[in-house]
Amino acid sequence: MKRVHAFADDVLGDLDAVGIARAIASGDFSAAEASEAAARRIDGVNPEIAAVAFDDRERALVRARENGFSGVFAGVPTLIKNNTAYAGLPTQQGSAAIPPRPAASHEAFTEEFLGTGVNILGATTMPAFGLTATTEFADRAPTRNPWDTDYSSGASSGGSAALVAAGAVPIAHANDGGGSIRIPAAACGLVGLKPSRGRTAGVATASNAPIDLVSNGIVSRSVRDTAYFLSDLERLRRVDGFDPVGLVEGPGRRRLRVAMITDPLTGQPLDPDTRREVHAVADLLEELGHRVETVPIPVDRSFIDHFTNYWALLAFSLDRFGGKLLDPEFDRGKLDPFTRGLSRKFLRNFYKTPSTLIGLKRATAKFRKAFDDYDVILTPTLAHQTPEIGYLDPDGDFDEIFDRLVRYVAFTPADNSCGTPAISLPLGSSSAGMPIGIHFSADRGGERTLLELSYELEEARPFARIQDA
């Protein structure tokens, strides 16, 4: 096992983002000192984990010295995922098919993120177009998990998760179209909240999709950082259709009705460590006074086919229309094998598209009906432990890799098609010492319930720290 982290006796210490912002505001150290320390930390771990897509520290250090930041994270160093336009940096989405042309302007979520006061030092790695659950590539080195560099960091926000878990920065941007915040959070031992659809500004490339699966957010090491992030976004933009979350600062008093689901739709059993850890959290919830009942998953097996057909449709759209959707100089010949394989899968099933869209809408109604009887749904984040590098190799046999992916990512996609919020918490650990994420879903607009419960669980079972392990 090779563990990599950047925690050191510098100004950042082991502070979370709220702690760093408060230290800057009180004059303990400057925004420039914070960004310089983060740059050194990145240099210390990136050769091992390969999590930075584009370095932008020079511009960031100029901004830090000017110190014109405002917001809850004023002056906090961070990075943005490389599928979100940030003026001056290329937005390559993990693919050589997109030329490395700097973006001319920020997209909507970038403006929201900057509005919290963060200082962006660069862009993080992601697999091609975010279509898989590991940050591995056919044409370059993989992004590795800092808990053990033999293992995957998850995806698609794998670079962000690896850097935050390694202590290089306290938070980083992530987004989620099938689990892409929650999967890497689970793999790297972090807090990963996928907000309700529309709670944060959407992803520009997904805005015209028949069903917009993607929500923007962050990965963090503390529940507090995620809660303050969501609260500060509400200060910046009113969201129609939802009650405000407000600033959640601790556990709630209400005892919850919890539905526990441990049998994946795919039919395979959980691995022993994952099953043990999710049941341990259920026991903890009952000790805390919540009521836990085991229930079947509230969608039927057809959901797998509907979601994977829609997933393949997205790949086909990129394959055939990348020049219109992404960049006029999109080079289809440079697409990775996994994206091409997924596009071909759509062609074999294109006639199913109308029934796919109808099926996903019906599944949404079934899934949300579960919240008539329960406040939250408890599952593992993933159906088995984080795999080693190569298990989900995008250059491997497509059918075999696709089957492995579907079995691995068995719990997270329902919240994307339904638009419901969900969070992965680092409450479990495997016999090999790797993090295991525990997953909670709520009905649309239920982020406050998830955050209050997360605070309570973090307090009852403090999250493992990479620097202590």
Side-chain angles (χ1 to χ4, degrees):
M1 173 180 286
K2 186 171 183 184
R3 189 156 290 167
V4 177
H5 72 78
F7 288 100
D9 186 20
D10 57 14
V11 295
L12 300 181
D14 60 1
L15 295 170
D16 65 0
V18 173
I20 291 169
R22 288 176 176 174
I24 292 170
S26 65
D28 293 346
F29 51 83
S30 67
E33 289 173 307
S35 289
E36 288 163 359
R40 287 192 298 272
R41 288 186 174 204
I42 290 169
D43 290 342
V45 297
N46 199 56
E48 301 290 338
I49 62 175
V52 177
F54 293 99
D55 191 294
D56 199 33
R57 72 181 63 189
E58 296 306 321
R59 289 198 302 166
L61 291 173
V62 170
R63 288 192 299 272
R65 293 180 192 115
E66 293 170 350
N67 195 24
F69 307 106
S70 63
V72 72
F73 297 141
V76 172
T78 190
L79 293 94
I80 194 165
K81 186 176 174 180
N82 197 222
N83 64 352
T84 302
Y86 180 72
L89 284 185
T91 314
Q92 280 197 285
Q93 304 219 20
S95 175
I98 301 175
R101 180 186 298 110
S105 60
H106 302 324
E107 67 178 81
F109 176 77
T110 306
E111 297 284 5
E112 286 191 355
F113 193 37
L114 291 170
T116 67
V118 294
N119 190 20
I120 295 174
L121 275 69
T124 59
T125 54
M126 58 177 291
F129 310 109
L131 292 172
T132 186
T134 186
T135 307
E136 297 179 54
F137 309 93
D139 60 351
R140 72 199 86 158
T143 298
R144 296 179 178 274
N145 193 317
W147 285 84
D148 185 333
T149 54
D150 286 341
Y151 286 78
S152 168
S153 65
S156 65
S157 308
S160 292
L163 288 166
V164 174
V169 289
I171 59 170
H173 168 230
N175 47 37
D176 191 316
S180 292
I181 291 173
R182 294 160 289 156
I183 294 165
C188 294
L190 301 175
V191 176
L193 171 69
K194 182 200 84 69
S196 300
R197 181 186 299 139
R199 178 75 77 180
T200 59
V203 172
T205 54
S207 59
N208 294 320
I211 301 173
D212 185 357
L213 301 176
V214 187
S215 293
N216 276 300
I218 61 169
V219 285
S220 66
R221 296 192 298 266
S222 70
V223 175
R224 180 171 75 163
D225 277 353
T226 292
Y228 273 66
F229 163 77
L230 210 57
S231 173
D232 213 39
L233 290 193
E234 291 184 333
R235 175 183 62 82
L236 300 165
R237 179 174 73 102
R238 179 177 174 79
V239 179
D240 294 331
F242 294 118
D243 291 333
V245 176
L247 178 57
V248 184
E249 296 188 272
R253 299 180 65 181
R254 183 167 63 107
R255 298 299 85 187
L256 304 177
R257 302 164 298 166
V258 180
M260 181 171 73
I261 299 168
T262 57
D263 294 324
L265 274 178
T266 51
Q268 89 276 18
L270 301 178
D271 70 272
D273 285 358
T274 300
R275 179 171 291 277
R276 180 193 68 238
E277 294 301 294
V278 73
H279 278 278
V281 171
D283 291 343
L284 175 60
L285 287 167
E286 293 196 320
E287 290 171 14
L288 294 169
H290 304 285
R291 191 183 81 217
V292 181
E293 295 180 23
T294 301
V295 302
I297 195 164
V299 294
D300 57 47
R301 193 176 174 84
S302 65
F303 176 79
I304 299 173
D305 289 334
H306 295 320
F307 192 88
T308 55
N309 289 341
Y310 188 73
W311 180 13
L313 167 62
L314 298 179
F316 174 81
S317 300
L318 294 167
D319 179 8
R320 299 305 175 93
F321 306 109
K324 291 183 179 179
L325 295 172
L326 299 174
D327 191 287
E329 295 182 20
F330 182 88
D331 187 346
R332 187 182 174 207
K334 293 183 179 179
L335 284 173
D336 64 291
F338 184 79
T339 300
R340 291 198 302 268
L342 200 52
S343 177
R344 289 193 298 269
K345 178 177 173 61
F346 171 76
L347 282 176
R348 293 194 298 269
N349 297 282
F350 73 92
Y351 61 92
K352 297 180 180 178
T353 300
S355 62
T356 289
L357 298 177
I358 292 169
L360 288 175
K361 290 178 181 177
R362 287 176 176 167
T364 293
K366 290 180 180 178
F367 187 79
R368 293 190 64 197
K369 187 170 176 53
F371 296 111
D372 292 345
D373 299 315
Y374 299 98
D375 300 300
V376 296
I377 295 173
L378 160 67
T379 69
T381 307
L382 295 159
H384 62 74
Q385 299 172 50
T386 307
E388 293 188 2
I389 296 290
Y391 179 79
L392 299 174
D393 182 3
D395 201 18
D397 177 80
F398 174 78
D399 291 333
E400 180 180 8
I401 298 302
F402 186 79
D403 182 65
R404 288 177 176 181
L405 271 168
V406 171
R407 290 175 178 276
Y408 180 47
V409 185
F411 292 102
T412 55
D415 291 291
N416 295 91
S417 61
C418 297
T420 44
I423 194 166
S424 180
L425 299 174
L427 291 166
S429 181
S430 76
S431 55
M434 296 296 290
I436 291 177
I438 305 299
H439 188 264
F440 295 90
S441 305
D443 201 4
R444 287 181 187 169
E447 286 90 340
R448 187 174 189 92
T449 297
L450 293 178
L451 289 168
E452 288 177 343
L453 180 59
S454 298
Y455 269 116
E456 185 175 11
L457 291 169
E458 181 184 33
E459 183 179 291
R461 181 175 293 179
F463 305 150
R465 306 193 320 163
I466 196 170
Q467 63 270 42
D468 296 337

